[in-house]
């Protein structure tokens, strides 16, 4: 009887953790899907607000900034409460880098002039380093430059597909050590796809897709921080109950 009771007590936190992880994962994907569909419908059927959605500092871009800021602040707060955790530190650093990217390294906040970018434009974000690499490779060989874009596309799309496969396994009750990091994998994959569009395309439609991908990625990162923080909190409760 003692053995059975001990096993049940041990299994309970794992079952609750899997349930909470799956629930938060489903919420994140549902919210991202709803926002994407809403933005697409608004752009198609309400062209009057299209510019409000997609313009510089428009609704989508400001939403991206807010979700990235939430991820950074959330990761910092969780670190203060529970101490350093690698997933939270990684999410916070990624969010901070992308937040700096969205605000042009602060130039749009503080009014200083960014450095000029080789080939035209300004070096006002980390994504411009990829554009710089693409342009420099173009100077050597067009094939090499497009090989870079192709590799980024394959890796990013592959990461998204892999994360979606992990999501399906998660929902089916099968978990691995990657199960708790699906949202982060999706975030990185979507950011990669957005960068491919930024480098290789000049279409206004694809530019809009890029903005939506970045918003989706920011939301996923914020949900990832919530997921990790909540599970840390729940584990702390179970640990105290076990004493």
């Amino acid at each position: 009887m003692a053995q059975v009771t001990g096993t049940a007590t041990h299994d309970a936190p794992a079952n609750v953790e899997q349930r909470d992880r799956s629930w938060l994962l489903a919420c994140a994907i549902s919210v991202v899907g709803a926002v994407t569909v809403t933005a697409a419908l608004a752009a198609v059927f309400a062209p009057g607000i299209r510019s409000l959605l997609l313009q510089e500092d428009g609704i989508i871009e400001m939403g991206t900034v807010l979700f990235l800021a939430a991820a950074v602040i959330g990761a910092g707060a969780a670190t203060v409460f529970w101490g350093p955790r690698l997933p939270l530190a990684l999410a916070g650093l990624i969010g901070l880098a992308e937040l700096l990217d969205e605000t042009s390294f602060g130039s749009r906040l503080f009014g200083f002039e960014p450095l000029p970018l080789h080939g035209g434009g300004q070096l006002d974000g980390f994504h411009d380093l990829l554009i710089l690499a693409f342009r420099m490779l173009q100077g050597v060989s067009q094939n090499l430059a497009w090989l870079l874009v192709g590799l980024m596309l394959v890796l990013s799309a592959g990461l998204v597909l892999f994360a979606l496969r992990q999501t399906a396994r998660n929902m089916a009750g099968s978990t691995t050590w990657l199960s708790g990091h699906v949202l982060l994998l999706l975030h990185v994959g979507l950011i990669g796809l957005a960068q491919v569009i930024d480098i290789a395309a000049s279409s206004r439609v694809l530019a809009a897709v890029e903005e939506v991908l970045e918003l989706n990625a920011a939301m996923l990162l914020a949900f990832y921080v919530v997921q990790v923080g909540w599970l840390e909190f729940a584990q702390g409760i179970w640990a105290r109950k076990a004493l």
Side-chain angles (χ1 to χ4, degrees), residues 108-142:
R108 288 161 58 191
L109 297 176
F110 304 107
F112 63 86
E113 193 70 18
L115 295 172
L117 182 65
H118 172 73
Q122 295 176 320
L123 183 61
D124 59 359
F126 290 108
H127 67 281
D128 288 323
L129 298 177
L130 291 171
I131 294 175
L132 177 61
F134 177 74
R135 290 176 178 176
M136 293 183 71
L137 284 175
Q138 277 185 314
V140 177
S141 167
Q142 286 286 344

Side-chain angles (χ1 to χ4, degrees), residues 29-68:
I29 293 176
S30 298
V31 170
V32 167
V35 169
T36 302
V37 170
T38 301
L41 291 176
V44 172
F45 295 107
I49 68 169
R50 190 179 302 160
S51 61
L52 292 176
L53 287 171
L54 299 171
Q55 69 185 4
E56 189 82 3
D57 296 331
I59 294 172
I60 289 179
E61 192 167 293
M62 290 305 298
T64 302
V65 169
L66 290 175
F67 277 107
L68 289 174

